[in-house]
Amino acid sequence: MQPKFLTLDGIDGAGKTTQLNVIRAWFEARGLPVLFTREPGGTPLGERLREILLAPETQVSLRTETLMMFAARCQHLEDVILPALKNGVNVVSDRFTDATFAYQGGGRGLPDADIAVLERWVQGSLKPDLTILLDVPLEVSLARIESSREKDRFEQEQADFFRRVRDVYLQRAAAAPERYVVVNSNREKADVKVEIETVLDKLFQAA
Ligand code: TMP
């Protein structure tokens, strides 16, 4: 069976952490080889870049921020994601390039075409086999962010920023339904869990 590259994405407060645990348990129960990783991060360099990118005191231009996301991603692909896939290990990444289109593109206004150039340069033709987009209404996201103790540099943004981020995620999913599953995460956790498990069952059945 060809290993799969899955990504989990969505606005802050959409419940990624809970559902990553569901995905982890699904793979464990089936004894399938899998590597969990995250962006920005996933390598020693990427984790250092993450620290800088999320630190509230960091002052960085939009283009530099975007390059830093892709610098972390480039190292992540070369050192972690591609070797794992080559060795037959499935990869689940907590965020990937959709987040750049959503946050730097939608949230901050960088043109899509600029992001697409970097995507092509860093990834070639590689795209996730499937992206699970966890979606919650804007108010739910904002309330969850509000309740977090220390807000990172992105979480300090205003409601309009997150509205644009969410809109881009949903637009991207609507434009390529074969690569995305949008999961309404504003429900009982147990119901979301069943839906995610069904998505994984289907993906791996089809393989
Ligand atoms: P999280 O992984 O805890 O959700 O935090 C990562 C933050 O970084 C989140 O607010 C989204 C943001 N981000 C971007 O702005 N662009 C990107 O390309 C990625 C991967 C994350």
Side-chain angles (χ1 to χ4, degrees), residues 9-12 95 98-109 133-135 138 141 154 157-172:
D9 231 309
I11 44 177
D12 290 78
R95 297 197 186 280
D98 288 299
T100 314
F101 281 100
Y103 283 79
Q104 281 66 48
R108 301 220 198 277
L133 178 59
L134 289 181
D135 185 51
L138 184 66
S141 161
F154 292 98
E157 290 293 338
Q158 303 301 308
D160 269 355
F161 175 90
F162 291 103
R163 179 174 298 117
R164 293 192 298 273
V165 169
R166 178 170 182 252
D167 286 351
V168 168
Y169 273 129
L170 292 174
Q171 283 160 17
R172 288 177 64 75

Side-chain angles (χ1 to χ4, degrees), residues 9-13 16-17 38-41 50 53-54 65-66 69-70 73 94-104 108 152-155 161-162 165 169:
D9 231 309
I11 44 177
D12 290 78
K16 279 190 294 115
T17 310
R38 69 169 178 182
E39 291 208 347
R50 177 189 179 91
L53 283 160
L54 298 193
E65 177 179 283
T66 307
M69 291 293 178
F70 271 101
R73 182 162 300 134
D94 175 355
R95 297 197 186 280
F96 195 62
T97 307
D98 288 299
T100 314
F101 281 100
Y103 283 79
Q104 281 66 48
R108 301 220 198 277
D152 66 35
R153 204 165 55 82
F154 292 98
E155 289 167 337
F161 175 90
F162 291 103
V165 169
Y169 273 129

